Amino acid sequence: MIISYQWLLDYLPEPLPVADLSNILTSIGLEVEHIEKAEAIKGGLEGLVIGEVLTCVPHTNADKLKVTTVSIGGDEPLNIVCGAPNVAASQKVIIAPVGATIYPLDGEPFAIKKAKIRGEASAGMICAEDEIGIGKDHDGILVLPDDVVVGTAASTYFKLPPADYAIHIGLTPNRSDANSHIGVARDVCAYLSHHNGKDYRVKFPTLTELSSLPESIVKINIKTEACPRYAGVEIDGIKVGDAPEWLQKRLQSIGVRSINNIVDITNYVLHEYGQPLHAFDMTAIRGSQINVQSLPEGNVFVALDEKERKLRADDLMICDEQGPMAMGGVFGGKDSGITDKTTKVFLESAYFNPMSVRRTSMHHGLRTDAATHFEKGVDIENVIPAMYRAASLITEIAGGVVVGMSDGYPQPLPEVTVTVAYAYIEKLSGKAYGKDAVNNILLALGFTILSSSDAEITVRVPSNKPDVLQPADIVEEILRIDGLDNIEIPQRLNISLMKPLSDDRTARNRVAQLLCGTGFQEIVTNSIVNSKYYPEHGGLVRMINSLTSELDTMRPSMLESGLEVVQYNVNRKNQDLCLYEFGKIYTQQADKYIEEACLAMWVTGNTTPADWQHKAHSSDLFYLKGIMDNLLAYCSVKGVAVSYADGNEVVWKWKNKVLCTASKVSAERLRLFDIKQDVYHATIQWDLWMEAVSAARTKYKEVPKFPAVQRDLAVVLDKKVTYQEVEMVTNKLKIAELQSFGLFDVFESEKLGTDKKSYAMNYTFQLQDRTLTDAETERLMKSLTDAYTTKLNAVIRE
């Protein structure tokens, strides 16, 4: 949100320096993110003064230059070399002395310094219009009337308004009460009242009372609970045109574009009071009735942007007797808007249900100022004052007369009362506030004290604070106005010991430590994704009220959200990635929603970079398989069966349930994300992983005192025989002395046969109590070769 400093001062009882105001705003929870200086003329003509040319003679070394002496009201005149053709003695001119900064209309600012020009000293500059940003003329210097007083500041002579500042506030969603200049002024006054011990009150604009007017010829008919209040005034005899300069500048100071006087007034009041308004051309209202209602699904509405939109059944619409005129609280219609020919308007001021407005705004992609105010919740008691204010401005600026008024408020919103104990305020805030201090802060914020005792206070919450519903909210209001920085830190702090981490958290930390040590980086992605990623998925959990059309479903897989991160990095030349994320996936089966915890990994690019000793090693499926095997070993998970599918997927099962999978992402999936390099993805079913980890039993044994014996073996097999089958045959022998074995080479050659391949494997044998003899080792190797030749038709290579 942007607040204009000069605009805000209109509502404060006394001016505040912008730096002090910034500190106050941040202290009361309206964090100032940054401040931009806004000037009518860049630089504000600071340092420039009115001077008089005393003498003017040609430069001895330059035909087009002149040497002048200029008085600016000081003791000594200035020597200035000037190249303007129209400079002459006795002229009153604008002088930029040494030290002043010039902001040309077209060009970069520069500081004036002492200089020598063709041998003549020059201590300043006589300025043209475009050189100081007040005009476009560069034919010569700017010559002022003779009666101008020498030494007058240029900013004073040109009557520049004081510098304004655009204050950017990071407004939190719950602070709808501060979503306007008057709302901010109310908080500032409460702060000043509390800290200065005086009664500061907001200076509200003068309103024209319209309650005595006759009923408008336009009758209001509210047909939905989504609109508790709808009011309007009828103004006749207006003239649509440009808004006055002061109004245009006020809107420009907060980044709002001027359209015409009527629309500008509604925008001005929106940012003044925080109450959205809408003006209808009375001649476009068909019939004598305005209906606030919803329309059947599929009705077409043409908005101000001339685009057709199909309505939903719960879209709140403002209709006349023949059809829709506007989306309530969101956007106006094409045929009922203000035009240059409009002479009679119906000015709408209403309270619309925040959820209804947000749903319509998000569904149709219309993020207007009105919608962002309504969806936070506006003050229902502001509906009439804001309408009075706008009507007064319209009659003052655009002419016309208010001829009728209507106010539909069938069921007033219930008042909110909250009771809070003083002891609770001290306990939650950490500060012992006096009873008077609490009462005065709440009164300054607009609360009404219904009852008060030594123990507690009961207050009526003002209608502009829809977020205050419970005692904790009252404490927050007190803390804001007193200032979080004013809470004293006690000399003694009481802390409780942290509870031990859960088994799940401990397991996550262990896995994360191993992955980070291996070179992986953790990512956190949004679990809400685009449904276009899953066109054929039948069990999607779709969002009822999605933020955007691109975030409309809960992810049924973690692959796609990670690929978005890969795409972002690869597009920025960060192509070597090892990523992991703990997250959840969501599916729907019949009427049941299923939520599953997962650990996902993504690997792409090189796993090790090239250096002077080694070439770069690119990632592949087996690298990811190795990571998974390390995790299984690190967590002591036993009894896992591994299987392979088509060379592009590895599956680990525990108790016949899929525990982990690793695969190469399909080219079709990568094209969807415009990724042009291979990506490998793995997923661990975390709940099943925790079962496997819990079932694991770690056994410790003494480091063997006797050496291990290693043997290598090469076997020739049919190409269709996989290494997994070799593993299975080896494991089924259950050789107690065999500590480990592995594949270290695969060889294929025509000499072996067109359908043959060779596996070279290494075996490690060891006993705890003695050294194996050669005969025992040969016997063990023979049992292996016999099994390979019998069950796999292997041929032993010599």
Side-chain angles (χ1 to χ4, degrees):
M1 182 181 73
I2 302 176
I3 291 294
S4 163
Y5 170 68
Q6 292 294 340
W7 191 349
L8 181 63
L9 292 183
D10 288 351
Y11 312 111
L12 296 179
E14 60 185 43
L16 290 171
V18 67
D20 292 349
L21 179 62
S22 174
N23 292 334
I24 290 173
L25 292 177
T26 299
S27 177
I28 60 180
L30 303 176
E31 182 182 1
V32 175
E33 296 176 335
H34 67 281
I35 298 174
E36 293 178 305
K37 190 174 183 180
E39 298 169 306
I41 296 175
K42 193 169 184 181
L45 304 181
E46 186 176 353
L48 277 60
V49 296
I50 308 298
E52 181 179 4
V53 180
L54 301 178
T55 63
C56 178
V57 297
H59 195 296
T60 56
N61 296 323
D63 295 338
K64 295 184 179 181
L65 298 179
K66 295 177 181 177
V67 179
T68 67
T69 56
V70 181
S71 171
I72 59 172
D75 295 335
E76 296 291 335
L78 304 177
N79 292 322
I80 298 177
V81 177
C82 180
N86 64 330
V87 64
S90 302
Q91 289 176 337
K92 299 291 180 68
V93 292
I94 302 293
I95 302 298
V98 172
T101 300
I102 297 296
Y103 293 84
L105 198 61
D106 297 313
E108 296 296 321
F110 61 91
I112 302 298
K113 301 178 181 178
K114 286 184 178 181
K116 270 197 174 184
I117 302 176
R118 295 290 184 93
E120 291 288 346
S122 183
M125 176 176 172
I126 306 175
C127 303
E129 279 187 7
D130 66 328
E131 290 170 335
I132 57 176
I134 64 172
K136 298 181 180 180
D137 186 16
H138 192 68
D139 292 338
I141 59 170
L142 177 62
V143 180
L144 304 177
D146 293 339
D147 59 352
V148 180
V149 178
V150 172
T152 303
S155 58
T156 302
Y157 172 75
F158 287 104
K159 298 179 180 178
L160 296 186
D164 197 4
Y165 297 88
I167 304 173
H168 294 251
I169 293 174
L171 190 69
T172 53
N174 64 315
R175 293 302 313 280
S176 62
D177 60 303
N179 205 6
S180 64
H181 284 76
I182 288 178
V184 172
R186 184 186 295 112
D187 267 13
V188 172
C189 287
Y191 178 92
L192 294 173
S193 298
H194 173 65
H195 289 276
N196 295 348
K198 294 167 56 178
D199 186 17
Y200 290 81
R201 295 181 182 271
V202 177
K203 293 164 57 179
F204 286 95
T206 304
L207 301 179
T208 301
E209 178 61 48
L210 303 176
S211 58
S212 59
L213 286 170
E215 187 80 11
S216 171
I217 61 171
V218 178
K219 306 302 178 185
I220 295 170
N221 186 14
I222 300 175
K223 299 182 177 181
T224 172
E225 294 181 355
C227 177
R229 189 172 196 176
Y230 190 96
V233 291
E234 183 183 338
I235 308 173
D236 195 6
I238 68 162
K239 181 176 177 58
V240 178
D242 291 336
E245 185 180 1
W246 71 265
L247 179 53
Q248 292 188 39
K249 287 185 176 179
R250 278 286 164 90
L251 295 178
Q252 289 169 5
S253 68
I254 58 171
V256 177
R257 180 174 58 91
S258 175
I259 298 175
N260 59 51
N261 51 4
I262 304 300
V263 176
D264 287 2
I265 288 169
T266 61
N267 285 331
Y268 179 84
V269 175
L270 166 64
H271 292 282
E272 181 180 46
Y273 275 86
Q275 172 63 41
L277 305 168
H278 187 73
F280 295 99
D281 189 328
M282 280 283 290
T283 61
I285 300 177
R286 297 157 295 187
S288 59
Q289 185 168 278
I290 284 182
N291 299 312
V292 185
Q293 63 183 93
S294 56
L295 295 174
E297 186 92 20
N299 266 264
V300 175
F301 171 67
V302 182
L304 282 169
D305 58 3
E306 299 186 356
K307 292 182 180 179
E308 291 188 354
R309 290 176 171 83
K310 288 189 177 181
L311 301 178
R312 302 177 307 152
D314 59 350
D315 286 336
L316 183 62
M317 303 301 297
I318 311 302
C319 307
D320 59 15
E321 293 180 1
Q322 296 186 29
M325 297 191 299
M327 286 182 176
V330 179
F331 211 37
K334 176 191 172 194
D335 297 328
S336 60
I338 302 300
T339 68
D340 294 342
K341 298 179 180 179
T342 300
T343 60
K344 192 174 185 179
V345 298
F346 183 81
L347 183 65
E348 165 198 282
S349 183
Y351 177 95
F352 298 120
N353 181 276
M355 289 187 292
S356 173
V357 171
R358 180 168 177 79
R359 281 195 293 264
T360 297
S361 171
M362 298 304 299
H363 176 78
H364 295 288
L366 294 169
R367 303 300 294 150
T368 60
D369 276 348
T372 55
H373 278 72
F374 274 124
E375 67 187 25
K376 287 181 172 68
V378 299
D379 182 0
I380 199 167
E381 297 302 328
N382 242 1
V383 168
I384 299 303
M387 184 177 69
Y388 285 175
R389 171 66 164 159
S392 300
L393 288 172
I394 289 174
T395 56
E396 175 188 337
I397 293 171
V401 178
V402 180
V403 296
M405 171 185 166
S406 297
D407 183 13
Y409 195 12
Q411 185 64 45
L413 293 182
E415 294 179 341
V416 177
T417 61
V418 178
T419 299
V420 58
Y422 294 110
Y424 177 78
I425 295 174
E426 180 179 351
K427 176 183 177 183
L428 197 58
S429 68
K431 183 174 181 178
Y433 288 99
K435 177 181 175 181
D436 290 341
V438 170
N439 294 1
N440 290 336
I441 289 175
L442 295 177
L443 288 172
L445 288 171
F447 289 83
T448 302
I449 299 177
L450 301 179
S451 65
S452 177
S453 67
D454 291 338
E456 63 183 25
I457 183 174
T458 300
V459 295
R460 181 191 301 123
V461 179
S463 56
N464 67 337
K465 291 186 176 293
D467 65 310
V468 177
L469 301 170
Q470 56 187 339
D473 299 328
I474 299 292
V475 179
E476 179 188 355
E477 293 295 294
I478 295 168
L479 277 171
R480 282 196 313 104
I481 300 305
D482 183 49
L484 294 173
D485 293 340
N486 293 323
I487 298 177
E488 298 176 357
I489 299 177
Q491 294 180 351
R492 175 181 171 183
L493 294 176
N494 297 321
I495 62 172
S496 57
L497 294 176
M498 184 183 70
K499 292 181 179 179
L501 294 176
S502 64
D503 291 341
D504 180 86
R505 176 54 61 187
T506 301
R508 286 175 185 246
N509 287 345
R510 292 192 68 203
V511 169
Q513 286 175 357
L514 178 62
L515 290 174
C516 290
T518 314
F520 277 72
Q521 292 179 304
E522 185 172 11
I523 61 174
V524 179
T525 62
N526 197 343
S527 57
I528 307 174
V529 294
N530 196 331
S531 60
K532 76 175 184 180
Y533 296 155
Y534 317 98
E536 299 179 0
H537 199 291
L540 292 180
V541 180
R542 296 186 180 273
M543 303 291 292
I544 296 175
N545 184 23
S546 61
L547 293 174
T548 71
S549 59
E550 295 182 350
L551 296 172
D552 60 352
T553 192
M554 304 296 287
R555 62 184 176 197
S557 160
M558 293 185 67
L559 169 63
E560 289 72 21
S561 54
L563 287 179
E564 289 179 342
V565 178
V566 172
Q567 176 197 43
Y568 182 89
N569 282 271
V570 169
N571 286 347
R572 288 156 179 80
K573 303 303 180 182
N574 185 22
Q575 298 172 317
D576 302 330
L577 302 168
C578 291
L579 310 172
Y580 75 94
E581 179 183 12
F582 290 98
K584 293 183 177 181
I585 60 174
Y586 308 85
T587 53
Q588 182 178 5
Q589 294 180 3
D591 295 332
K592 184 180 180 182
Y593 293 102
I594 300 173
E595 178 182 271
E596 298 176 83
C598 295
L599 167 61
M601 288 171 270
W602 298 262
V603 177
T604 186
N606 293 326
T607 55
T608 54
D611 58 29
W612 67 277
Q613 281 184 312
H614 308 97
K615 293 182 179 180
H617 189 280
S618 60
S619 58
D620 56 25
L621 182 61
F622 295 101
Y623 174 79
L624 196 53
K625 177 183 180 295
I627 296 294
M628 196 69 74
D629 288 339
N630 285 344
L631 287 175
L632 290 166
Y634 184 65
C635 296
S636 303
V637 177
K638 307 295 183 182
V640 177
V642 185
S643 61
Y644 302 83
D646 301 328
N648 287 325
E649 184 178 24
V650 186
V651 179
W652 290 261
K653 289 186 177 181
W654 184 76
K655 291 187 177 180
N656 292 322
K657 297 178 183 178
V658 175
L659 177 66
C660 328
T661 60
S663 62
K664 180 180 180 180
V665 180
S666 68
E668 180 184 5
R669 215 76 182 132
L670 294 178
R671 278 195 298 271
L672 184 61
F673 292 87
D674 195 28
I675 298 174
K676 296 180 176 61
Q677 62 186 58
D678 289 341
V679 180
Y680 301 89
H681 171 64
T683 301
I684 294 176
Q685 305 303 320
W686 189 253
D687 292 335
L688 185 59
W689 179 275
M690 287 303 300
E691 286 185 40
V693 170
S694 299
R697 294 293 179 266
T698 303
K699 294 182 180 179
Y700 296 90
K701 58 184 179 181
E702 184 182 1
V703 176
K705 298 178 181 179
F706 301 94
V709 178
Q710 294 192 344
R711 291 287 188 273
D712 293 341
L713 178 66
V715 296
V716 178
L717 300 161
D718 289 340
K719 281 188 177 180
K720 64 181 180 181
V721 177
T722 64
Y723 179 67
Q724 181 185 9
E725 294 176 83
V726 177
E727 280 186 323
M728 291 175 63
V729 170
T730 305
N731 289 329
K732 283 183 178 179
L733 294 175
K734 296 183 178 180
I735 300 173
E737 295 87 349
L738 182 59
Q739 301 300 312
S740 64
F741 68 95
L743 178 69
F744 67 85
D745 185 47
V746 179
F747 175 71
E748 294 182 14
S749 170
E750 293 181 359
K751 294 181 181 179
L752 297 177
T754 56
D755 58 347
K756 299 293 184 178
K757 62 183 176 183
S758 172
Y759 282 161
M761 294 169 286
N762 175 268
Y763 300 84
T764 300
F765 302 96
Q766 192 174 35
L767 291 174
Q768 290 282 345
D769 56 351
R770 61 185 177 83
T771 303
L772 283 166
T773 65
D774 288 344
E776 290 173 326
T777 304
E778 292 302 324
R779 177 176 53 78
L780 294 173
M781 289 298 297
K782 187 174 187 309
S783 65
L784 289 167
T785 57
D786 289 346
Y788 295 154
T789 55
T790 303
K791 298 181 180 179
L792 301 175
N793 296 321
V795 175
I796 308 303
R797 293 183 67 190
E798 298 297 335

